[in-house]
Amino acid sequence: IQELPLNGRDYNQLATTISGVLPATPRMDSVGFKGAINVNGNRVFSNVFLLDGVDNISYSNSFRGENVQLVQPSVDAIGEFKVQTNAYAAEIGRGSGAVVNATVRSGTNRFRGTVYEFLRNDALDANNFFLNAAGESKPVRRRNQFGAAVGGPIISNRTFWFADYEGLREREGVPRTRIVPTADE
């Protein structure tokens, strides 16, 4: 999971590599909805998400708080995840879509950790064709995604701890162009 390129570090994107799984509709993407997938022709909200075997579906409002999952762990915090698209066991088969079960990593007998930062800015971005035609400058784009994950022993061979943090600071200008009629028109 950690070595694969994921735009936005959302491990649910890996589910689209399974047959029968498609990304969410463009409407869901346009409102910034995260973690949504369509499985075997079922709606996005027909999926079941579990975190360490516990229900992890967000029911906060009609768009579920703009995320399908109540808690979406960082890629560095995921030990493993499994996507089942059919023939699930009775204890987890309550949705007509997929069952996505993620397991959080735990500590070990040695202290281990990772620190990361992903930076994107407008220095290497090209300007929009329409903004170039209008003689306008390119919009601001600053995306800084950073975090850390660390774990270790409390009591050797018995009790362990694990913690992670992920932050996102994003500033994005949205170009808008309009054509205004001239005085002659």
Side-chain angles (χ1 to χ4, degrees):
I1 297 172
Q2 294 174 355
E3 301 299 322
L4 294 172
L6 297 171
N7 187 11
R9 295 180 51 81
D10 178 8
Y11 72 92
N12 291 306
Q13 293 172 352
L14 295 175
T16 59
T17 62
I18 299 169
S19 63
V21 180
L22 295 171
T25 61
R27 183 176 83 71
M28 291 290 194
D29 288 337
S30 70
V31 295
F33 203 78
K34 296 184 177 126
I37 53 176
N38 291 24
V39 179
N40 295 332
N42 290 297
R43 299 184 66 210
V44 168
F45 301 111
S46 298
N47 301 319
V48 175
F49 288 87
L50 304 171
L51 183 62
D52 288 331
V54 177
D55 188 15
N56 190 27
I57 299 174
S58 174
Y59 296 106
S60 62
N61 59 32
S62 62
F63 279 108
R64 295 185 181 179
E66 295 184 352
N67 195 336
V68 176
Q69 299 176 55
L70 189 61
V71 177
Q72 183 160 346
S74 166
V75 173
D76 290 284
I78 297 289
E80 70 176 90
F81 80 103
K82 181 162 95 175
V83 180
Q84 295 173 280
T85 58
N86 60 25
Y88 349 102
E91 67 264 14
I92 56 174
R94 62 182 167 89
S96 58
V99 175
V100 181
N101 192 354
T103 305
V104 177
R105 288 175 40 195
S106 63
T108 62
N109 279 326
R110 293 179 33 202
F111 287 101
R112 293 184 181 183
T114 58
V115 177
Y116 60 89
E117 179 176 19
F118 297 97
L119 176 66
R120 179 179 174 187
N121 61 30
D122 53 20
L124 299 175
D125 290 348
N127 199 1
N128 183 315
F129 171 81
F130 298 104
L131 292 178
N132 271 339
E136 307 236 352
S137 61
K138 66 182 170 183
V140 173
R141 172 70 175 187
R142 305 265 193 285
R143 182 182 173 95
N144 189 2
Q145 194 166 9
F146 54 92
V150 64
I154 295 175
I155 301 171
S156 184
N157 293 326
R158 295 187 135 210
T159 310
F160 309 100
W161 63 275
F162 178 82
D164 79 299
Y165 172 78
E166 183 169 82
L168 173 65
R169 308 292 183 266
E170 187 168 28
R171 196 170 125 208
E172 182 177 10
V174 179
R176 300 190 190 281
T177 58
R178 302 286 185 262
I179 297 176
V180 179
T182 64
D184 293 338
E185 292 173 329

